[in-house]
Amino acid sequence: MKKILDLITGEVEQVFAECGYDKKYAKVTLSNRPDLCEYQCNGALAAAKEYKKAPFLIADEIAAKLSDNGMFSMAESVKPGFLNLKLEEGYLAEYLQKMQEDTERFGCEKADSPKKIMLDYGGPNVAKPLHIGHLRSAIIGESIKRIGRFMGHTMIGDVHLGDWGLQMGLIITELAARKPDLVYFDETFTGEYPKEPPFTISELEDIYPTASGKSKEDETYKEAAMQATYELQHGRKGYQALLSHILNVSVTDLKRNYENLNVSFDLWKGESDAQPFIPDMVQKMKDDGYAYISEGALVVDVKEETDTKEVPPCMILKSDGASLYNTTDLATIVWRMEEYHPDEIIYVVDKRQELYFTQVFRCARKTHLVEDDTKLTFQGFGTMNGKDGRPFKTRDGGVMRLEHLLNEINEEMYQKIAGNSSLTDEREAKETAKMVALSAVKYGDLSNQASKDYIFDIERFTSFEGNTGPYILYTIVRMKSILAKYRTLGYTVEDAKILPAKSESEKALMLEITRFSAAMESAFAETAPHKVCAYVYGLANAFNHFYHETKILAEEDKAVQAGYIRLLELTKGILETCIDVLGFGAPERM
Ligand code: ARG
């Protein structure tokens, strides 16, 4: 379906042309004076110069023609030459009716040329528990993925596990200290390694911090870990068998955690999957003359003339020949291009890695790891701060584990819900609390522009009032309950239609509804889930305003009532679609 603004612009363009003016002056926008009109066109002011005519004369002429056409209930020219427009109620109702008939997309068209887009998000590290630093990547990335899918693109989400490097050597070293008799450490062993992992997830989660702590104090311990890392990366069998146990145990746990966040990935590839692509890639960079030795290290220059800040060369190999985080990211681009050939790769990573990604992207482009038209996009996100404005911490100042944080919020929400609502069944109350808590956390995050820091204010996020997830869910639940009551009264809407608005608040709601596809489109174009949030909030407000001024269930005229119900259903459908792309859902009651 065409967007309503485009339809209006089309109409105004035609009238400009009929009156002998260039249609480029006919651009219509949403009104910035909603008290005066709904849409406006300021083109007469600009046209006045070209046609050497007083702007209000042009505006008068256009307004007179627009007044006779069925699209507007008001087309007014206002000095010095503004055109103020209001949409005709019947026209608006019909437009909404068409939106409603498109039961899943509500008139939002898919992209004309769908793209294949890979999304690098999540970025958890194996054997380290998820902490709140990983929360934003998961929440924002998941939403971008869903918005893209809704717009008709092929979105491939890859978790890009941190499963390479010293942390693996640390775990192996600590495990060797704790259980030296394990067959994995016996270099003479030639049989098959056990299928059962030699540790549980909680042991594993204890092993890593212990090892990391020890390595900071004990030089020989650190050297042992580096040695183990080296041997693992150079094919020592027992260590590789351990690695796959570490991966399995860790990934199972990560999946459970992400599931609680309603986040899922299409690919569970990791840094280790990129390693086989490194030797050829490095060779080619050398052969093509891009990579050269500088102070022992192999580097590629990536600075550009227009740089205002220094962009250091991209280091490909350290002087001891070891690869780096960079090398892995570049090699990951290689396999992604080989296997998927995406039109774009979007990275949802902490914005403090921005310079790093500038280097990686420039290097990938310069050395032709990607096509000239492959887009590489860095969607950096800001820090989640506590109320004191500093990075969010536990009460005793430690790094907060994601699981603990979510459990705490679930529990708080349960207390709130169990105390206040009609939900007497404990299981339902718990499930509902979880859904509402998730909306609080996700909406609290997504409603901010991703690149900005924000304050994780759980009191505000969990409030049922204001710009919060629970408020949106509350609005949807209210709609569900009105619909259920309507049905118990024995009514059905059958082939009832949305009727022309009879009140200001009803019309305001209807106009808000028409903005759905524009909101989705811009959220995708700007990888900006906060635009969906802003839309959802405006729509929920418009509905609640309408609801408070309108007696829906007590309406005596059954056709009018059925029209209200249709309008409510449409609003609900759109709200549900929006929260689905934000990555949460609404309960039946709360
Ligand atoms: N594992 C990294 C971390 O915890 C994030 C990975 C981001 N993605 C990437 N392609 N480098 O900081």
Side-chain angles (χ1 to χ4, degrees):
M1 255 172 98
K2 274 202 165 161
K3 289 196 283 294
I4 203 134
L5 252 183
D6 296 340
L7 289 170
I8 300 174
T9 299
E11 202 64 26
V12 179
E13 276 177 352
Q14 203 174 327
V15 170
F16 265 75
E18 278 168 25
C19 297
Y21 305 114
D22 194 317
K23 65 181 181 142
K24 72 177 180 213
Y25 295 115
K27 190 168 166 38
V28 178
T29 58
L30 274 181
S31 161
N32 50 23
R33 284 291 303 274
D35 52 326
L36 297 179
C37 60
E38 295 152 6
Y39 301 93
Q40 66 187 50
C41 169
N42 300 345
L45 295 164
K49 291 193 192 89
E50 179 176 338
Y51 299 100
K52 302 204 169 39
K53 226 182 193 181
F56 72 88
L57 287 179
I58 300 180
D60 275 351
E61 223 180 316
I62 306 286
K65 281 212 168 202
L66 284 175
S67 300
D68 319 323
N69 113 348
M71 192 183 264
F72 304 103
S73 62
M74 181 194 96
E76 205 174 61
S77 111
V78 180
K79 281 193 173 147
F82 297 116
L83 267 174
N84 288 355
L85 304 169
K86 281 189 182 172
L87 217 49
E88 209 278 316
E89 284 72 16
Y91 180 88
L92 180 57
E94 258 173 56
Y95 186 86
L96 261 59
Q97 189 58 44
K98 290 206 197 89
M99 282 180 78
Q100 183 145 55
E101 281 157 20
D102 185 7
T103 51
E104 268 165 33
R105 307 194 55 80
F106 310 108
C108 180
E109 284 177 21
K110 291 189 179 180
D112 296 333
S113 47
K115 300 258 182 312
K116 192 195 280 178
I117 302 173
M118 288 189 89
L119 205 61
D120 183 312
Y121 72 111
N125 299 311
V126 162
K128 299 190 207 171
L130 283 179
H131 60 78
I132 53 150
H134 294 111
L135 184 62
R136 294 210 73 192
S137 181
I139 292 179
I140 298 165
E142 180 71 17
S143 179
I144 294 174
K145 182 182 82 181
R146 290 170 180 233
I147 293 170
R149 281 202 183 138
F150 186 78
M151 294 313 295
H153 302 285
T154 301
M155 305 296 287
I156 306 169
D158 179 11
V159 72
H160 196 71
L161 270 181
D163 59 357
W164 194 250
L166 187 61
Q167 94 224 42
M168 296 301 161
L170 284 167
I171 294 167
I172 292 173
T173 307
E174 181 58 23
L175 197 64
R178 291 184 186 193
K179 304 180 180 178
D181 298 333
L182 286 176
V183 29
Y184 305 92
F185 303 116
D186 176 0
E187 281 191 84
T188 59
F189 183 78
T190 50
E192 224 173 88
Y193 292 105
K195 296 236 164 358
E196 282 301 303
F199 40 70
T200 63
I201 182 69
S202 31
E203 271 176 89
L204 192 56
E205 287 182 350
D206 178 55
I207 288 176
Y208 176 74
T210 312
S212 160
K214 279 193 196 169
S215 78
K216 281 179 192 131
E217 277 154 25
D218 181 347
E219 221 10 77
T220 40
Y221 190 93
K222 187 170 178 189
E223 262 160 38
M226 283 163 70
Q227 180 59 24
T229 310
Y230 181 88
E231 287 179 33
L232 167 71
Q233 297 185 351
H234 289 80
R236 180 161 163 178
K237 285 261 162 357
Y239 289 2
Q240 286 187 329
L242 270 180
L243 174 66
S244 58
H245 283 310
I246 298 172
L247 277 176
N248 282 339
V249 170
S250 197
V251 166
T252 309
D253 186 59
L254 285 171
K255 284 192 176 157
R256 186 180 57 78
N257 270 285
Y258 280 124
E259 210 168 285
N260 283 331
L261 279 174
N262 204 12
V263 167
S264 66
F265 298 91
D266 305 292
L267 300 177
W268 277 81
K269 297 278 192 180
E271 295 174 356
S272 64
D273 291 292
Q275 304 311 313
F277 295 85
I278 290 178
D280 284 354
M281 176 185 83
V282 171
Q283 192 56 47
K284 195 164 179 317
M285 286 179 179
K286 283 192 205 158
D287 292 348
D288 295 346
Y290 296 117
Y292 67 95
I293 303 284
S294 162
E295 293 170 36
L298 189 72
V299 302
V300 173
D301 280 332
V302 292
K303 61 172 187 282
E304 285 171 10
E305 258 171 50
T306 48
D307 289 342
T308 46
K309 264 190 270 163
E310 197 200 325
V311 182
C314 193
M315 203 194 281
I316 309 294
L317 294 178
K318 289 198 277 195
S319 48
D320 62 0
S323 59
L324 303 102
Y325 185 49
N326 295 350
T327 330
T328 299
D329 262 317
L330 289 164
T332 301
I333 293 180
V334 173
W335 78 249
R336 283 178 179 162
M337 289 308 286
E338 271 184 23
E339 218 160 304
Y340 291 94
H341 213 97
D343 300 296
E344 181 175 4
I345 309 177
I346 302 177
Y347 294 79
V348 185
V349 182
D350 191 313
K351 73 174 175 203
R352 284 170 292 191
Q353 294 192 29
E354 180 156 19
L355 175 63
Y356 164 78
F357 275 100
T358 302
Q359 293 173 293
V360 169
F361 292 174
R362 284 185 184 179
C363 182
R365 225 170 254 306
K366 182 172 179 181
T367 62
H368 302 290
L369 303 186
V370 295
E371 312 274 327
D372 289 342
D373 58 357
T374 312
K375 260 177 95 182
L376 296 171
T377 307
F378 178 71
Q379 178 56 63
F381 54 80
T383 307
M384 181 172 135
N385 288 323
K387 273 193 183 168
D388 58 359
R390 292 159 172 271
F392 194 85
K393 291 268 155 63
T394 54
R395 273 180 213 109
D396 53 20
V399 180
M400 181 76 114
R401 277 182 65 163
L402 194 53
E403 207 170 355
H404 295 165
L405 177 76
L406 293 178
N407 287 343
E408 240 174 65
I409 300 170
N410 285 346
E411 184 52 36
E412 235 169 86
M413 194 49 90
Y414 174 70
Q415 297 300 342
K416 209 166 174 170
I417 285 182
N420 283 326
S421 79
S422 51
L423 290 178
T424 42
D425 178 57
E426 187 181 315
R427 247 211 17 234
E428 190 185 351
K430 282 236 147 90
E431 277 309 305
T432 304
K434 253 177 97 174
M435 288 182 99
V436 183
L438 189 63
S439 80
V441 172
K442 288 194 156 186
Y443 192 93
D445 188 308
L446 293 170
S447 53
N448 302 287
Q449 199 178 322
S451 59
K452 300 233 164 86
D453 297 348
Y454 78 102
I455 296 201
F456 192 81
D457 180 349
I458 204 59
E459 252 154 70
R460 189 169 73 74
F461 291 178
T462 55
S463 166
F464 284 40
E465 281 152 44
N467 190 7
T468 70
Y471 167 70
I472 307 299
L473 296 194
Y474 191 75
T475 305
I476 295 176
V477 165
R478 165 177 279 164
M479 294 172 164
K480 290 186 178 179
S481 111
I482 297 170
L483 288 175
K485 283 207 193 100
Y486 181 74
R487 277 186 226 108
T488 48
L489 291 174
Y491 306 135
T492 54
V493 283
E494 299 226 332
D495 31 39
K497 293 218 176 332
I498 293 175
L499 300 176
K502 281 163 292 297
S503 67
E504 293 244 344
S505 64
E506 187 180 12
K507 191 168 187 195
L509 170 61
M510 292 170 99
L511 287 169
E512 200 61 33
I513 289 175
T514 63
R515 293 186 42 241
F516 171 63
S517 35
M520 281 291 192
E521 272 177 26
S522 66
F524 175 74
E526 297 162 44
T527 46
H530 72 275
K531 297 229 154 165
V532 178
C533 291
Y535 175 68
V536 162
Y537 184 51
L539 185 57
N541 278 339
F543 173 78
N544 284 321
H545 190 194
F546 162 71
Y547 171 78
H548 285 299
E549 295 201 337
T550 316
K551 301 221 162 4
I552 299 176
L553 290 170
E555 173 60 53
E556 278 170 15
D557 183 329
K558 290 301 156 219
V560 169
Q561 185 181 47
Y564 288 153
I565 294 291
R566 293 302 263 161
L567 181 61
L568 181 149
E569 283 175 338
L570 176 59
T571 315
K572 173 171 160 290
I574 293 178
L575 284 177
E576 286 174 330
T577 302
C578 288
I579 63 170
D580 184 59
V581 301
L582 294 174
F584 56 89
E588 284 312 303
R589 315 189 284 163
M590 65 193 258

